[in-house]
Amino acid sequence: MRRFSAIVTVAALSACAPKGELSASNAWVRLPAVSGQPGAAYFTVQGGAAADTLLAVSTPAALKAELHESMKGDHGMMAMAPLKDVAVPAGGKLEFAPGGRHVMLHSIGPAVKSGQKIPLTLSFASGKTLRIEANVVGAGDPAPGS
């Protein structure tokens, strides 16, 4: 019975523990197959103790970055739509991945090559910013971790 009480106590205390800090990880960038076309950035955001909203992503490696989402449109065709912002739930995980949410990177600089790392800065409604390094992969290269 004591063991059961200890388990219940630990579970109750764990539920009351503050959630972690807002963070981002697993960032990577896919270069475009055709020069002059946009590339895409992907990453995971882990929500902190309070809900927040991702407002923008920027990088010095591209002239413009836009939040986007891919979705199935009419007749099963894939379509993309820009996103104004993306809600990050408290303690939740937000994935930016191929076939879903992503960041379109327009006019990636010619010096950016596969195998490099480039910085991404994520800006949130709370005023927080996160800076992460993204691995760069070529258009035909496998995604990191695949």
Side-chain angles (χ1 to χ4, degrees), residues 32 34-38 106-108:
V34 177
S35 181
Q37 294 297 310
H106 298 275
S107 300
I108 295 175

Side-chain angles (χ1 to χ4, degrees), residues 67-128:
L67 301 172
H68 272 248
E69 184 168 29
S70 296
M71 62 199 109
K72 281 196 178 179
D74 294 336
H75 309 292
M77 298 293 292
M78 291 300 286
M80 272 194 297
L83 297 169
K84 180 182 171 194
D85 54 36
V86 182
V88 181
K93 187 189 284 189
L94 181 64
E95 296 281 343
F96 279 68
R101 286 181 292 256
H102 57 280
V103 178
M104 296 294 296
L105 298 175
H106 298 275
S107 300
I108 295 175
V112 178
K113 304 288 184 207
S114 181
Q116 295 178 328
K117 290 186 180 208
I118 62 170
L120 299 176
T121 302
L122 286 64
S123 300
F124 296 86
S126 65
K128 292 180 184 174

Side-chain angles (χ1 to χ4, degrees), residues 17-23 46-50 90-91 128:
K19 292 183 172 42
E21 290 289 315
L22 179 68
S23 64
Q46 180 65 48
K128 292 180 184 174

